[in-house]
Amino acid sequence: MGEQPIFSTRAHVFQIDPNTKKNWVPTSKHAVTVSYFFDCTRSVYRIISLDGSKAIINSTITPNMTFTKTSQKFGQWADSRANTVYGLGFSSESQLAKFAEKFAEFKEAARLAKEKSQEKMELSSTPSQESIPGDLLSPLSPDTINGTELERVTPDTPQHIEARAEPSHKTLLPSHSSSNMNKHWEAELEALKGNNAKLTAALLESSANVKQWKQQLGAYQEEAERLHKRVTELECVSGQTTVIKSQKTELNQTIEELEAALKAKEEELERLKEEVESANGFQFKKESLSHKLQDTESRNQALEARLSELEQRLEGQQQEREVFRDSLRSLLELLDGKIFELTELRDTLGKLLESS
């Protein structure tokens, strides 16, 4: 293919109202693909957009074009060839900035390509003009119409007559006969008249042929223009087909990525199911352990109650022991008093016995 898409985006397409030159008229009901195309054979950059099979944008980028951002998400440019102004509405500021950046880049590339082609034309035209002989640069004459010289059709041209007359003139010079000279010049004059008539007829015929050729050329030009438009439409359709194929490839890649992600999610889901099953086993163990813990806690409470009872009993016994000790201590004190009294009584009785 001569043209290939080099950048694509999606936007809502508008054209300026040809009557008011103020209002925007939408050319697409929804966002469509807008693509930059490059024709490597002609070094031409174009902006093309299709709504179905209808080309709603077919703009060739020239160095004189300017892309203007009129808002945060809207931009426009004027196409003098199409005699209209195109407008694009984007869904984000980044898409508008990227499209404007590409427009400036391809505009500069178009300018460089134009300058290069002009230099090539100048270099190719300069030596060709110097090498063309002077008679070929002269306007079209009847002698060269249709690529055939009239000397081939009418061999008795003045050049041939002069070529034949020159030796005869040389032969007549020694004779010095004026009558022969007159006859010779009369013959030359008649030959020139005949050649003039032939040339006039050939010129008229060539003029008629030129008119016919002009008509045929006009028909050929119309046919060529029609074919060029058809080729342009086919290029637009083929370019859009390429864009669709690239989008289809991207979608296939996206589907493959989503399938891989889905497979990974399914594997993760299986792993989570296993973890849930193991968690259920742990839950059962936890419940059994909870029951055992409750039993242990109830037994612990019973043991604590028994321990409290034993502590109370021990405390009671300790109190009883303290009371017993106090009683025993008072009894011992009483016993000590009695023993002291008995000792004193014994001493007194001993003294009495000694004194008696």
Side-chain angles (χ1 to χ4, degrees):
M1 289 175 55
E3 283 185 306
Q4 293 292 337
I6 52 180
F7 177 77
S8 298
T9 186
R10 293 185 67 82
H12 292 271
V13 181
F14 300 86
Q15 283 189 12
I16 201 71
D17 191 348
N19 298 322
T20 62
K21 298 295 183 180
K22 293 182 180 180
N23 300 325
W24 289 106
V25 178
T27 57
S28 62
K29 296 180 180 179
H30 50 79
V32 295
T33 302
V34 182
S35 304
Y36 285 99
F37 281 78
F38 176 65
D39 189 348
C40 56
T41 59
R42 295 183 295 171
S43 298
V44 173
Y45 293 88
R46 291 198 299 166
I47 302 174
I48 295 176
S49 178
L50 294 180
D51 188 5
S53 60
K54 178 183 177 183
I56 56 179
I57 297 180
N58 185 7
S59 177
T60 302
I61 300 176
T62 62
N64 299 326
M65 284 185 178
T66 302
F67 185 81
T68 306
K69 297 179 182 179
T70 57
S71 67
Q72 294 181 350
K73 298 181 182 180
F74 193 86
Q76 66 184 43
W77 77 96
D79 190 345
S80 58
R81 295 184 179 180
N83 193 22
T84 186
V85 179
Y86 294 104
L88 296 179
F90 297 90
S91 59
S92 64
E93 298 181 20
S94 60
Q95 290 181 349
L96 174 60
K98 188 68 174 178
F99 188 88
E101 178 184 350
K102 292 294 182 181
F103 192 97
E105 177 184 347
F106 299 144
K107 172 186 172 182
E108 181 66 18
R111 185 185 66 80
L112 295 175
K114 183 178 180 181
E115 292 178 355
K116 189 179 294 184
S117 63
Q118 288 178 353
E119 291 176 359
K120 288 182 179 180
M121 290 176 63
E122 291 175 358
L123 292 175
S124 61
S125 62
T126 301
S128 62
Q129 291 179 358
E130 293 176 354
S131 62
I132 295 175
D135 55 351
L136 294 179
L137 290 174
S138 61
L140 184 63
S141 62
D143 296 339
T144 58
I145 294 177
N146 202 17
T148 305
E149 296 180 356
L150 283 177
E151 290 179 358
R152 299 177 184 177
V153 180
T154 59
D156 295 334
T157 56
Q159 289 82 354
H160 289 84
I161 294 172
E162 289 177 4
R164 291 201 309 269
E166 187 176 355
S168 63
H169 179 63
K170 290 180 180 178
T171 56
L172 291 174
L173 283 176
S175 65
H176 301 286
S177 173
S178 61
S179 61
N180 290 333
M181 287 290 293
N182 291 332
K183 289 181 181 179
H184 171 68
W185 290 115
E186 287 177 0
E188 290 282 347
L189 183 59
E190 291 296 331
L192 288 174
K193 288 181 179 179
N195 290 332
N196 191 18
K198 291 179 181 180
L199 288 172
T200 302
L203 181 59
L204 293 174
E205 183 179 0
S206 299
S207 298
N209 291 333
V210 166
K211 291 181 180 179
Q212 184 179 1
W213 294 335
K214 285 183 178 180
Q215 293 176 357
Q216 292 179 356
L217 180 62
Y220 292 153
Q221 287 178 348
E222 292 178 358
E223 182 67 17
E225 186 177 356
R226 186 183 65 81
L227 292 176
H228 181 68
K229 289 182 180 180
R230 181 59 179 168
V231 168
T232 303
E233 293 178 357
L234 292 176
E235 286 177 351
C236 293
V237 173
S238 62
Q240 191 70 15
T241 303
T242 306
V243 174
I244 291 173
K245 287 183 179 178
S246 63
Q247 292 179 351
K248 183 179 179 182
T249 304
E250 293 177 357
L251 289 175
N252 290 332
Q253 293 177 355
T254 305
I255 290 172
E256 291 177 357
E257 293 176 356
L258 291 175
E259 288 179 350
L262 180 61
K263 187 176 180 180
K265 293 295 183 182
E266 289 178 351
E267 292 177 355
E268 185 177 0
L269 183 62
E270 292 294 330
R271 183 177 59 81
L272 290 175
K273 286 182 178 179
E274 293 177 356
E275 291 180 357
V276 168
E277 290 177 356
S278 62
N280 290 331
F282 289 143
Q283 185 68 24
F284 179 74
K285 291 181 180 179
K286 180 182 177 181
E287 290 177 356
S288 62
L289 290 174
S290 297
H291 290 305
K292 290 181 180 180
L293 181 61
Q294 289 178 358
D295 294 338
T296 305
E297 287 180 352
S298 60
R299 290 176 61 188
N300 189 19
Q301 290 177 358
L303 290 174
E304 287 179 354
R306 187 175 179 183
L307 179 61
S308 177
E309 183 181 357
L310 291 174
E311 287 178 351
Q312 290 178 358
R313 289 177 61 185
L314 179 62
E315 186 177 359
Q317 290 178 358
Q318 286 180 350
Q319 290 178 355
E320 289 177 357
R321 288 181 63 183
E322 289 293 332
V323 171
F324 178 74
R325 284 180 181 179
D326 293 337
S327 300
L328 185 61
R329 190 178 293 110
S330 61
L331 183 61
L332 287 173
E333 290 177 355
L334 181 61
L335 183 61
D336 288 337
K338 293 297 182 180
I339 291 171
F340 181 74
E341 289 178 356
L342 288 174
T343 304
E344 288 182 350
L345 180 60
R346 180 174 171 253
D347 291 338
T348 303
L349 288 177
K351 290 178 178 180
L352 288 175
L353 287 175
E354 287 179 357
S355 61
S356 65

